[in-house]
C-alpha cells in the first residue's frame, strides 16, 4: 500500500506485530487464543508480542466510554496565550482529569484540548470559569463535538490493511455487533460503574479477577456488566499509542466551514481518507474538525489541494500544525505477568 502517509507502519515492528496491533484495534479485549487462531499463531505468541509492545510503552489497550451515549457533551477548546505562558497553561490543563488530550499548536502559542466530564453532572468550571481568568490567556473559544465521523474505536490502524476483511470479521465480538438502541435518551450509568470504567481506562485488558477486586463484584457480574455496556454502545476499546513511535512527521489540525446540507457527505468522505486520524462535526462557524497525518509538508500540501479541495460545500479551511503533545499517550506501569498472560480470565 503506497500513500503520502505511513500510519500503517510503526517504528521497529514486523508484520506479525502489525497484525496483532490491527487485531487489537478491532477488539482490544479479544482473547489471545482467538487472535492467535485468526492470525495462525499460538496464543502464547500473541501474548508475548502484546506484552512486549505494552511494557515498552509503545501501546496499550484502553476501555473508554462514548460521551454522547451517556449524555456528556465533549468540547474542543482553543486557548490563545502569550508565548511565555502557553507551556505552563498547557501543563496545568494536562493535570486536570476532565481533559482527554492537550496539544500545543500554531507554533506553540495556542493550546488545543478536548474537555470531557466523566459523568453528565461533571464539573464544567474549566470551561466556564477558570480559563478566561487565567493571566496571560488572550482568548478562549469552545466548540461542542456533535458527531464523530471517524474515531473512537476506529483509528489509522483500521485503514492499514494488515488483516483481510475475513480476518477482521472473525475478530468482531457479538456485543459490538448488537443493534444500536432505538432510544436516543442517554444510557444511565450507576455510580458503581465508575471503578470499573476507571480501571478499563487504564488497562482495557485488565483480567476479570482484578476488576472484581476493584469493583467488589463477582467475576460473573463484571463480565455481565461489561457485556451490557458494550451492547448499549457505551463501552468501546481503543489503542493508546506512544506517538513518538509513529512515523508521520507532520500532524495537523484541520478546521472546515461546510454548508450544512453537505455536512454528512463531507464527514463520510473524510472518514475514508487515509490521512484522517479523527473527524467530527462541531458547533461554530468551522463545523468540522479533523486530525490529519502526513509524512511531510509536501504531502500535506498535496492532501489539501487534492482530496480536501475536492470536497463539496467547503466554504473555508484552516490548518494548524501540531507543535507538541502535552497529554496523550501516558507513561505505562509495567504490567504483571498475570495481566499479560492470564488470557483465561478475559472475555
Amino acid at each position: 500500500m503506497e500513500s503520502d502517509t505511513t500510519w500503517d507502519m510503526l517504528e521497529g515492528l514486523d508484520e506479525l506485530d502489525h497484525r496483532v496491533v490491527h487485531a487489537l484495534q478491532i477488539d482490544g479485549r479479544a482473547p489471545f487464543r482467538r487472535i492467535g487462531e485468526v492470525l495462525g499463531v499460538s496464543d502464547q505468541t500473541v501474548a508475548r508480542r502484546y506484552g512486549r509492545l505494552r511494557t515498552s510503552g509503545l501501546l496499550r489497550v484502553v476501555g473508554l466510554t462514548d460521551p454522547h451515549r451517556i449524555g456528556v457533551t465533549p468540547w474542543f477548546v482553543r486557548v490563545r496565550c502569550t508565548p511565555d505562558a502557553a507551556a505552563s497553561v498547557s501543563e496545568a490543563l494536562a493535570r486536570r482529569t476532565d481533559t482527554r488530550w492537550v496539544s500545543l499548536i500554531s507554533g506553540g502559542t495556542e493550546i488545543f484540548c478536548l474537555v470531557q466530564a466523566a459523568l453528565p453532572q461533571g464539573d464544567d468550571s474549566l470551561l466556564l470559569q477558570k480559563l478566561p481568568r487565567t493571566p496571560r490567556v488572550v482568548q478562549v473559544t469552545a466548540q461542542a463535538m456533535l458527531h464523530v465521523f471517524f474515531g473512537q474505536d476506529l483509528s489509522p490502524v483500521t485503514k492499514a490493511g494488515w488483516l483481510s476483511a475475513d480476518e477482521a470479521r472473525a475478530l468482531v465480538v457479538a456485543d459490538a455487533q448488537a443493534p444500536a438502541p432505538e432510544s436516543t435518551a442517554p444510557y444511565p450509568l450507576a455510580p458503581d460503574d465508575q471503578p470499573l470504567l476507571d480501571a478499563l481506562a487504564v488497562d482495557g485488558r485488565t483480567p476479570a479477577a482484578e476488576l472484581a477486586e476493584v469493583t467488589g463484584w463477582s467475576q460473573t457480574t463484571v463480565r455481565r456488566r461489561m457485556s451490557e455496556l458494550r451492547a448499549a454502545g457505551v463501552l468501546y476499546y481503543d489503542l493508546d499509542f506512544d506517538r513518538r513511535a509513529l512515523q508521520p512527521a507532520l500532524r495537523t489540525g484541520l478546521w472546515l466551514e461546510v454548508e450544512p446540507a453537505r455536512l454528512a457527505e463531507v464527514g463520510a468522505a473524510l472518514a475514508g481518507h487515509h490521512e484522517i486520524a479523527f473527524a467530527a462535526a462541531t458547533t461554530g462557524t468551522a463545523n468540522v474538525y479533523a486530525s490529519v497525518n502526513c509524512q511531510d509538508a509536501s504531502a500535506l500540501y498535496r492532501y489539501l489541494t487534492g482530496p480536501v479541495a475536492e470536497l463539496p460545500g467547503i466554504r473555508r479551511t484552516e490548518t494548524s500544525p501540531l507543535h507538541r503533545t502535552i497529554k496523550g499517550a501516558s507513561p505505562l506501569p509495567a504490567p504483571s505477568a498475570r495481566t499479560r498472560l492470564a488470557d483465561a480470565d478475559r472475555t
Side-chain angles (χ1 to χ4, degrees), residues 53-87:
L53 294 172
R54 191 182 185 284
T55 55
S56 67
L58 180 63
L59 65 85
R60 60 172 168 165
V61 174
V62 291
L64 303 173
T65 55
D66 181 343
H68 292 123
R69 190 68 189 92
I70 62 174
V72 171
T73 300
W75 291 83
F76 292 116
V77 179
R78 298 177 71 172
V79 184
R80 288 180 53 208
C81 302
T82 57
D84 61 330

PDB file of all heavy atoms in Angstrom, residues 53-87:
ATOM      1  N   LEU A  53       5.040  -5.034  23.398  1.00  0.00           N
ATOM      2  CA  LEU A  53       4.593  -3.719  22.947  1.00  0.00           C
ATOM      3  C   LEU A  53       4.134  -2.861  24.123  1.00  0.00           C
ATOM      4  O   LEU A  53       4.398  -1.656  24.175  1.00  0.00           O
ATOM      5  CB  LEU A  53       3.449  -3.865  21.940  1.00  0.00           C
ATOM      6  CG  LEU A  53       3.804  -4.529  20.604  1.00  0.00           C
ATOM      7  CD1 LEU A  53       2.555  -4.795  19.785  1.00  0.00           C
ATOM      8  CD2 LEU A  53       4.782  -3.672  19.808  1.00  0.00           C
ATOM      9  N   ARG A  54       3.462  -3.502  25.074  1.00  0.00           N
ATOM     10  CA  ARG A  54       2.929  -2.746  26.195  1.00  0.00           C
ATOM     11  C   ARG A  54       4.022  -2.370  27.190  1.00  0.00           C
ATOM     12  O   ARG A  54       4.079  -1.223  27.655  1.00  0.00           O
ATOM     13  CB  ARG A  54       1.839  -3.553  26.904  1.00  0.00           C
ATOM     14  CG  ARG A  54       1.052  -2.718  27.916  1.00  0.00           C
ATOM     15  CD  ARG A  54       0.005  -3.542  28.634  1.00  0.00           C
ATOM     16  NE  ARG A  54      -0.816  -2.711  29.499  1.00  0.00           N
ATOM     17  CZ  ARG A  54      -0.444  -2.229  30.674  1.00  0.00           C
ATOM     18  NH1 ARG A  54       0.778  -2.500  31.128  1.00  0.00           N
ATOM     19  NH2 ARG A  54      -1.248  -1.484  31.394  1.00  0.00           N
ATOM     20  N   THR A  55       4.888  -3.307  27.537  1.00  0.00           N
ATOM     21  CA  THR A  55       5.921  -2.992  28.521  1.00  0.00           C
ATOM     22  C   THR A  55       6.927  -1.986  27.977  1.00  0.00           C
ATOM     23  O   THR A  55       7.542  -1.251  28.745  1.00  0.00           O
ATOM     24  CB  THR A  55       6.660  -4.269  28.965  1.00  0.00           C
ATOM     25  OG1 THR A  55       7.175  -4.963  27.822  1.00  0.00           O
ATOM     26  CG2 THR A  55       5.731  -5.199  29.726  1.00  0.00           C
ATOM     27  N   SER A  56       7.085  -1.934  26.665  1.00  0.00           N
ATOM     28  CA  SER A  56       7.974  -0.936  26.074  1.00  0.00           C
ATOM     29  C   SER A  56       7.329   0.443  26.021  1.00  0.00           C
ATOM     30  O   SER A  56       7.999   1.434  25.688  1.00  0.00           O
ATOM     31  CB  SER A  56       8.367  -1.361  24.653  1.00  0.00           C
ATOM     32  OG  SER A  56       7.237  -1.332  23.784  1.00  0.00           O
ATOM     33  N   GLY A  57       6.042   0.524  26.355  1.00  0.00           N
ATOM     34  CA  GLY A  57       5.346   1.809  26.324  1.00  0.00           C
ATOM     35  C   GLY A  57       4.850   2.190  24.959  1.00  0.00           C
ATOM     36  O   GLY A  57       4.343   3.306  24.781  1.00  0.00           O
ATOM     37  N   LEU A  58       4.956   1.306  23.967  1.00  0.00           N
ATOM     38  CA  LEU A  58       4.531   1.655  22.615  1.00  0.00           C
ATOM     39  C   LEU A  58       3.021   1.808  22.515  1.00  0.00           C
ATOM     40  O   LEU A  58       2.512   2.739  21.888  1.00  0.00           O
ATOM     41  CB  LEU A  58       5.009   0.601  21.620  1.00  0.00           C
ATOM     42  CG  LEU A  58       4.618   0.846  20.161  1.00  0.00           C
ATOM     43  CD1 LEU A  58       5.239   2.130  19.652  1.00  0.00           C
ATOM     44  CD2 LEU A  58       5.046  -0.338  19.292  1.00  0.00           C
ATOM     45  N   LEU A  59       2.294   0.896  23.148  1.00  0.00           N
ATOM     46  CA  LEU A  59       0.838   0.981  23.090  1.00  0.00           C
ATOM     47  C   LEU A  59       0.227   0.234  24.258  1.00  0.00           C
ATOM     48  O   LEU A  59       0.887  -0.559  24.925  1.00  0.00           O
ATOM     49  CB  LEU A  59       0.298   0.433  21.765  1.00  0.00           C
ATOM     50  CG  LEU A  59       0.484  -1.052  21.451  1.00  0.00           C
ATOM     51  CD1 LEU A  59      -0.629  -1.903  22.066  1.00  0.00           C
ATOM     52  CD2 LEU A  59       0.494  -1.281  19.946  1.00  0.00           C
ATOM     53  N   ARG A  60      -1.025   0.521  24.487  1.00  0.00           N
ATOM     54  CA  ARG A  60      -1.834  -0.225  25.446  1.00  0.00           C
ATOM     55  C   ARG A  60      -3.271  -0.207  24.959  1.00  0.00           C
ATOM     56  O   ARG A  60      -3.696   0.696  24.217  1.00  0.00           O
ATOM     57  CB  ARG A  60      -1.758   0.375  26.842  1.00  0.00           C
ATOM     58  CG  ARG A  60      -2.246   1.820  26.902  1.00  0.00           C
ATOM     59  CD  ARG A  60      -2.347   2.347  28.317  1.00  0.00           C
ATOM     60  NE  ARG A  60      -2.538   3.798  28.291  1.00  0.00           N
ATOM     61  CZ  ARG A  60      -2.941   4.509  29.336  1.00  0.00           C
ATOM     62  NH1 ARG A  60      -3.196   3.919  30.479  1.00  0.00           N
ATOM     63  NH2 ARG A  60      -3.079   5.814  29.245  1.00  0.00           N
ATOM     64  N   VAL A  61      -4.030  -1.195  25.382  1.00  0.00           N
ATOM     65  CA  VAL A  61      -5.464  -1.221  25.123  1.00  0.00           C
ATOM     66  C   VAL A  61      -6.151  -0.447  26.238  1.00  0.00           C
ATOM     67  O   VAL A  61      -5.823  -0.610  27.419  1.00  0.00           O
ATOM     68  CB  VAL A  61      -5.991  -2.669  25.093  1.00  0.00           C
ATOM     69  CG1 VAL A  61      -7.515  -2.692  24.980  1.00  0.00           C
ATOM     70  CG2 VAL A  61      -5.357  -3.445  23.936  1.00  0.00           C
ATOM     71  N   VAL A  62      -7.087   0.431  25.864  1.00  0.00           N
ATOM     72  CA  VAL A  62      -7.852   1.178  26.859  1.00  0.00           C
ATOM     73  C   VAL A  62      -9.339   0.982  26.584  1.00  0.00           C
ATOM     74  O   VAL A  62      -9.768   0.873  25.438  1.00  0.00           O
ATOM     75  CB  VAL A  62      -7.500   2.681  26.847  1.00  0.00           C
ATOM     76  CG1 VAL A  62      -6.094   2.909  27.362  1.00  0.00           C
ATOM     77  CG2 VAL A  62      -7.640   3.281  25.447  1.00  0.00           C
ATOM     78  N   GLY A  63     -10.121   0.917  27.650  1.00  0.00           N
ATOM     79  CA  GLY A  63     -11.568   0.855  27.534  1.00  0.00           C
ATOM     80  C   GLY A  63     -12.158   2.219  27.840  1.00  0.00           C
ATOM     81  O   GLY A  63     -11.930   2.776  28.925  1.00  0.00           O
ATOM     82  N   LEU A  64     -12.901   2.779  26.892  1.00  0.00           N
ATOM     83  CA  LEU A  64     -13.409   4.142  27.018  1.00  0.00           C
ATOM     84  C   LEU A  64     -14.920   4.176  26.836  1.00  0.00           C
ATOM     85  O   LEU A  64     -15.523   3.237  26.307  1.00  0.00           O
ATOM     86  CB  LEU A  64     -12.739   5.046  25.979  1.00  0.00           C
ATOM     87  CG  LEU A  64     -11.208   5.093  26.018  1.00  0.00           C
ATOM     88  CD1 LEU A  64     -10.674   5.887  24.839  1.00  0.00           C
ATOM     89  CD2 LEU A  64     -10.719   5.677  27.342  1.00  0.00           C
ATOM     90  N   THR A  65     -15.532   5.262  27.249  1.00  0.00           N
ATOM     91  CA  THR A  65     -16.970   5.425  27.101  1.00  0.00           C
ATOM     92  C   THR A  65     -17.273   6.431  26.003  1.00  0.00           C
ATOM     93  O   THR A  65     -16.554   7.423  25.836  1.00  0.00           O
ATOM     94  CB  THR A  65     -17.616   5.907  28.413  1.00  0.00           C
ATOM     95  OG1 THR A  65     -16.966   7.110  28.839  1.00  0.00           O
ATOM     96  CG2 THR A  65     -17.486   4.852  29.490  1.00  0.00           C
ATOM     97  N   ASP A  66     -18.336   6.164  25.262  1.00  0.00           N
ATOM     98  CA  ASP A  66     -18.833   7.106  24.261  1.00  0.00           C
ATOM     99  C   ASP A  66     -19.556   8.220  25.005  1.00  0.00           C
ATOM    100  O   ASP A  66     -20.607   7.998  25.609  1.00  0.00           O
ATOM    101  CB  ASP A  66     -19.786   6.394  23.308  1.00  0.00           C
ATOM    102  CG  ASP A  66     -20.333   7.320  22.225  1.00  0.00           C
ATOM    103  OD1 ASP A  66     -20.247   8.557  22.371  1.00  0.00           O
ATOM    104  OD2 ASP A  66     -20.872   6.801  21.230  1.00  0.00           O
ATOM    105  N   PRO A  67     -19.018   9.437  25.011  1.00  0.00           N
ATOM    106  CA  PRO A  67     -19.613  10.501  25.838  1.00  0.00           C
ATOM    107  C   PRO A  67     -21.058  10.812  25.458  1.00  0.00           C
ATOM    108  O   PRO A  67     -21.908  11.010  26.333  1.00  0.00           O
ATOM    109  CB  PRO A  67     -18.697  11.701  25.594  1.00  0.00           C
ATOM    110  CG  PRO A  67     -17.988  11.398  24.312  1.00  0.00           C
ATOM    111  CD  PRO A  67     -17.860   9.913  24.251  1.00  0.00           C
ATOM    112  N   HIS A  68     -21.350  10.853  24.153  1.00  0.00           N
ATOM    113  CA  HIS A  68     -22.710  11.174  23.755  1.00  0.00           C
ATOM    114  C   HIS A  68     -23.705  10.121  24.229  1.00  0.00           C
ATOM    115  O   HIS A  68     -24.856  10.439  24.540  1.00  0.00           O
ATOM    116  CB  HIS A  68     -22.782  11.315  22.232  1.00  0.00           C
ATOM    117  CG  HIS A  68     -22.053  12.511  21.711  1.00  0.00           C
ATOM    118  ND1 HIS A  68     -21.042  12.416  20.781  1.00  0.00           N
ATOM    119  CD2 HIS A  68     -22.167  13.829  21.993  1.00  0.00           C
ATOM    120  CE1 HIS A  68     -20.575  13.618  20.506  1.00  0.00           C
ATOM    121  NE2 HIS A  68     -21.237  14.497  21.233  1.00  0.00           N
ATOM    122  N   ARG A  69     -23.252   8.873  24.291  1.00  0.00           N
ATOM    123  CA  ARG A  69     -24.167   7.795  24.680  1.00  0.00           C
ATOM    124  C   ARG A  69     -24.556   7.910  26.152  1.00  0.00           C
ATOM    125  O   ARG A  69     -25.620   7.426  26.550  1.00  0.00           O
ATOM    126  CB  ARG A  69     -23.494   6.438  24.406  1.00  0.00           C
ATOM    127  CG  ARG A  69     -24.404   5.251  24.536  1.00  0.00           C
ATOM    128  CD  ARG A  69     -25.463   5.210  23.445  1.00  0.00           C
ATOM    129  NE  ARG A  69     -26.463   4.176  23.712  1.00  0.00           N
ATOM    130  CZ  ARG A  69     -27.602   4.396  24.370  1.00  0.00           C
ATOM    131  NH1 ARG A  69     -27.887   5.601  24.828  1.00  0.00           N
ATOM    132  NH2 ARG A  69     -28.461   3.419  24.558  1.00  0.00           N
ATOM    133  N   ILE A  70     -23.723   8.524  26.980  1.00  0.00           N
ATOM    134  CA  ILE A  70     -24.048   8.666  28.399  1.00  0.00           C
ATOM    135  C   ILE A  70     -24.509  10.085  28.741  1.00  0.00           C
ATOM    136  O   ILE A  70     -24.648  10.435  29.911  1.00  0.00           O
ATOM    137  CB  ILE A  70     -22.849   8.275  29.287  1.00  0.00           C
ATOM    138  CG1 ILE A  70     -21.646   9.187  29.023  1.00  0.00           C
ATOM    139  CG2 ILE A  70     -22.484   6.821  29.076  1.00  0.00           C
ATOM    140  CD1 ILE A  70     -20.486   8.949  29.980  1.00  0.00           C
ATOM    141  N   GLY A  71     -24.738  10.908  27.722  1.00  0.00           N
ATOM    142  CA  GLY A  71     -25.277  12.239  27.953  1.00  0.00           C
ATOM    143  C   GLY A  71     -24.252  13.301  28.272  1.00  0.00           C
ATOM    144  O   GLY A  71     -24.596  14.346  28.845  1.00  0.00           O
ATOM    145  N   VAL A  72     -23.002  13.076  27.881  1.00  0.00           N
ATOM    146  CA  VAL A  72     -21.932  14.055  28.103  1.00  0.00           C
ATOM    147  C   VAL A  72     -21.551  14.696  26.776  1.00  0.00           C
ATOM    148  O   VAL A  72     -21.389  14.004  25.773  1.00  0.00           O
ATOM    149  CB  VAL A  72     -20.690  13.382  28.734  1.00  0.00           C
ATOM    150  CG1 VAL A  72     -19.505  14.338  28.759  1.00  0.00           C
ATOM    151  CG2 VAL A  72     -21.009  12.907  30.136  1.00  0.00           C
ATOM    152  N   THR A  73     -21.422  16.000  26.751  1.00  0.00           N
ATOM    153  CA  THR A  73     -21.000  16.715  25.550  1.00  0.00           C
ATOM    154  C   THR A  73     -19.526  17.076  25.658  1.00  0.00           C
ATOM    155  O   THR A  73     -19.140  17.846  26.547  1.00  0.00           O
ATOM    156  CB  THR A  73     -21.815  18.003  25.352  1.00  0.00           C
ATOM    157  OG1 THR A  73     -23.194  17.676  25.225  1.00  0.00           O
ATOM    158  CG2 THR A  73     -21.354  18.749  24.099  1.00  0.00           C
ATOM    159  N   PRO A  74     -18.670  16.525  24.792  1.00  0.00           N
ATOM    160  CA  PRO A  74     -17.254  16.938  24.783  1.00  0.00           C
ATOM    161  C   PRO A  74     -17.111  18.305  24.112  1.00  0.00           C
ATOM    162  O   PRO A  74     -17.899  18.664  23.224  1.00  0.00           O
ATOM    163  CB  PRO A  74     -16.572  15.843  23.960  1.00  0.00           C
ATOM    164  CG  PRO A  74     -17.615  14.779  23.749  1.00  0.00           C
ATOM    165  CD  PRO A  74     -18.933  15.446  23.836  1.00  0.00           C
ATOM    166  N   TRP A  75     -16.093  19.020  24.512  1.00  0.00           N
ATOM    167  CA  TRP A  75     -15.840  20.351  23.950  1.00  0.00           C
ATOM    168  C   TRP A  75     -14.402  20.420  23.430  1.00  0.00           C
ATOM    169  O   TRP A  75     -13.458  20.038  24.115  1.00  0.00           O
ATOM    170  CB  TRP A  75     -16.029  21.425  25.018  1.00  0.00           C
ATOM    171  CG  TRP A  75     -17.453  21.601  25.440  1.00  0.00           C
ATOM    172  CD1 TRP A  75     -18.148  20.868  26.362  1.00  0.00           C
ATOM    173  CD2 TRP A  75     -18.361  22.581  24.951  1.00  0.00           C
ATOM    174  NE1 TRP A  75     -19.432  21.325  26.466  1.00  0.00           N
ATOM    175  CE2 TRP A  75     -19.598  22.375  25.617  1.00  0.00           C
ATOM    176  CE3 TRP A  75     -18.263  23.611  24.012  1.00  0.00           C
ATOM    177  CZ2 TRP A  75     -20.718  23.164  25.375  1.00  0.00           C
ATOM    178  CZ3 TRP A  75     -19.381  24.405  23.781  1.00  0.00           C
ATOM    179  CH2 TRP A  75     -20.588  24.183  24.447  1.00  0.00           C
ATOM    180  N   PHE A  76     -14.265  20.922  22.208  1.00  0.00           N
ATOM    181  CA  PHE A  76     -12.957  21.299  21.689  1.00  0.00           C
ATOM    182  C   PHE A  76     -12.685  22.725  22.164  1.00  0.00           C
ATOM    183  O   PHE A  76     -13.461  23.645  21.881  1.00  0.00           O
ATOM    184  CB  PHE A  76     -12.935  21.273  20.156  1.00  0.00           C
ATOM    185  CG  PHE A  76     -13.060  19.903  19.565  1.00  0.00           C
ATOM    186  CD1 PHE A  76     -14.161  19.570  18.790  1.00  0.00           C
ATOM    187  CD2 PHE A  76     -12.082  18.952  19.763  1.00  0.00           C
ATOM    188  CE1 PHE A  76     -14.276  18.315  18.225  1.00  0.00           C
ATOM    189  CE2 PHE A  76     -12.193  17.684  19.218  1.00  0.00           C
ATOM    190  CZ  PHE A  76     -13.291  17.366  18.446  1.00  0.00           C
ATOM    191  N   VAL A  77     -11.608  22.907  22.881  1.00  0.00           N
ATOM    192  CA  VAL A  77     -11.281  24.215  23.444  1.00  0.00           C
ATOM    193  C   VAL A  77      -9.946  24.681  22.885  1.00  0.00           C
ATOM    194  O   VAL A  77      -8.953  23.944  22.914  1.00  0.00           O
ATOM    195  CB  VAL A  77     -11.222  24.154  24.986  1.00  0.00           C
ATOM    196  CG1 VAL A  77     -10.846  25.520  25.566  1.00  0.00           C
ATOM    197  CG2 VAL A  77     -12.552  23.687  25.559  1.00  0.00           C
ATOM    198  N   ARG A  78      -9.936  25.887  22.357  1.00  0.00           N
ATOM    199  CA  ARG A  78      -8.705  26.517  21.862  1.00  0.00           C
ATOM    200  C   ARG A  78      -8.378  27.694  22.769  1.00  0.00           C
ATOM    201  O   ARG A  78      -9.229  28.548  23.040  1.00  0.00           O
ATOM    202  CB  ARG A  78      -8.871  26.984  20.407  1.00  0.00           C
ATOM    203  CG  ARG A  78      -9.158  25.848  19.451  1.00  0.00           C
ATOM    204  CD  ARG A  78      -9.387  26.327  18.030  1.00  0.00           C
ATOM    205  NE  ARG A  78      -8.152  26.815  17.402  1.00  0.00           N
ATOM    206  CZ  ARG A  78      -8.073  27.150  16.113  1.00  0.00           C
ATOM    207  NH1 ARG A  78      -9.143  27.055  15.328  1.00  0.00           N
ATOM    208  NH2 ARG A  78      -6.926  27.575  15.610  1.00  0.00           N
ATOM    209  N   VAL A  79      -7.155  27.719  23.243  1.00  0.00           N
ATOM    210  CA  VAL A  79      -6.714  28.738  24.189  1.00  0.00           C
ATOM    211  C   VAL A  79      -5.510  29.464  23.600  1.00  0.00           C
ATOM    212  O   VAL A  79      -4.448  28.868  23.421  1.00  0.00           O
ATOM    213  CB  VAL A  79      -6.334  28.107  25.551  1.00  0.00           C
ATOM    214  CG1 VAL A  79      -5.976  29.205  26.554  1.00  0.00           C
ATOM    215  CG2 VAL A  79      -7.462  27.243  26.076  1.00  0.00           C
ATOM    216  N   ARG A  80      -5.677  30.732  23.286  1.00  0.00           N
ATOM    217  CA  ARG A  80      -4.557  31.547  22.797  1.00  0.00           C
ATOM    218  C   ARG A  80      -3.892  32.208  23.988  1.00  0.00           C
ATOM    219  O   ARG A  80      -4.539  32.839  24.822  1.00  0.00           O
ATOM    220  CB  ARG A  80      -5.044  32.595  21.807  1.00  0.00           C
ATOM    221  CG  ARG A  80      -5.463  32.043  20.453  1.00  0.00           C
ATOM    222  CD  ARG A  80      -5.928  33.160  19.533  1.00  0.00           C
ATOM    223  NE  ARG A  80      -4.923  34.217  19.441  1.00  0.00           N
ATOM    224  CZ  ARG A  80      -5.210  35.498  19.182  1.00  0.00           C
ATOM    225  NH1 ARG A  80      -6.460  35.889  19.014  1.00  0.00           N
ATOM    226  NH2 ARG A  80      -4.236  36.387  19.101  1.00  0.00           N
ATOM    227  N   CYS A  81      -2.578  32.061  24.068  1.00  0.00           N
ATOM    228  CA  CYS A  81      -1.809  32.588  25.192  1.00  0.00           C
ATOM    229  C   CYS A  81      -0.700  33.497  24.683  1.00  0.00           C
ATOM    230  O   CYS A  81      -0.324  33.460  23.514  1.00  0.00           O
ATOM    231  CB  CYS A  81      -1.171  31.452  25.989  1.00  0.00           C
ATOM    232  SG  CYS A  81      -2.310  30.237  26.642  1.00  0.00           S
ATOM    233  N   THR A  82      -0.161  34.261  25.599  1.00  0.00           N
ATOM    234  CA  THR A  82       1.089  34.932  25.286  1.00  0.00           C
ATOM    235  C   THR A  82       2.166  33.850  25.177  1.00  0.00           C
ATOM    236  O   THR A  82       2.083  32.810  25.840  1.00  0.00           O
ATOM    237  CB  THR A  82       1.458  35.940  26.375  1.00  0.00           C
ATOM    238  OG1 THR A  82       1.519  35.258  27.636  1.00  0.00           O
ATOM    239  CG2 THR A  82       0.431  37.047  26.466  1.00  0.00           C
ATOM    240  N   PRO A  83       3.186  34.046  24.318  1.00  0.00           N
ATOM    241  CA  PRO A  83       4.165  32.979  24.076  1.00  0.00           C
ATOM    242  C   PRO A  83       4.822  32.422  25.333  1.00  0.00           C
ATOM    243  O   PRO A  83       5.151  31.240  25.392  1.00  0.00           O
ATOM    244  CB  PRO A  83       5.188  33.660  23.164  1.00  0.00           C
ATOM    245  CG  PRO A  83       4.413  34.728  22.462  1.00  0.00           C
ATOM    246  CD  PRO A  83       3.418  35.229  23.479  1.00  0.00           C
ATOM    247  N   ASP A  84       4.995  33.251  26.349  1.00  0.00           N
ATOM    248  CA  ASP A  84       5.676  32.778  27.553  1.00  0.00           C
ATOM    249  C   ASP A  84       4.766  31.982  28.479  1.00  0.00           C
ATOM    250  O   ASP A  84       5.237  31.376  29.455  1.00  0.00           O
ATOM    251  CB  ASP A  84       6.271  33.967  28.327  1.00  0.00           C
ATOM    252  CG  ASP A  84       5.198  34.950  28.782  1.00  0.00           C
ATOM    253  OD1 ASP A  84       4.166  35.061  28.079  1.00  0.00           O
ATOM    254  OD2 ASP A  84       5.389  35.590  29.830  1.00  0.00           O
ATOM    255  N   ALA A  85       3.455  31.939  28.182  1.00  0.00           N
ATOM    256  CA  ALA A  85       2.509  31.291  29.091  1.00  0.00           C
ATOM    257  C   ALA A  85       1.988  29.967  28.575  1.00  0.00           C
ATOM    258  O   ALA A  85       1.432  29.177  29.355  1.00  0.00           O
ATOM    259  CB  ALA A  85       1.324  32.225  29.366  1.00  0.00           C
ATOM    260  N   ALA A  86       2.130  29.696  27.280  1.00  0.00           N
ATOM    261  CA  ALA A  86       1.496  28.514  26.700  1.00  0.00           C
ATOM    262  C   ALA A  86       1.942  27.223  27.373  1.00  0.00           C
ATOM    263  O   ALA A  86       1.118  26.338  27.652  1.00  0.00           O
ATOM    264  CB  ALA A  86       1.781  28.466  25.198  1.00  0.00           C
ATOM    265  N   ALA A  87       3.230  27.090  27.647  1.00  0.00           N
ATOM    266  CA  ALA A  87       3.730  25.847  28.229  1.00  0.00           C
ATOM    267  C   ALA A  87       3.143  25.602  29.612  1.00  0.00           C
ATOM    268  O   ALA A  87       2.670  24.499  29.917  1.00  0.00           O
ATOM    269  CB  ALA A  87       5.256  25.879  28.296  1.00  0.00           C
TER     270      ALA A  87
END
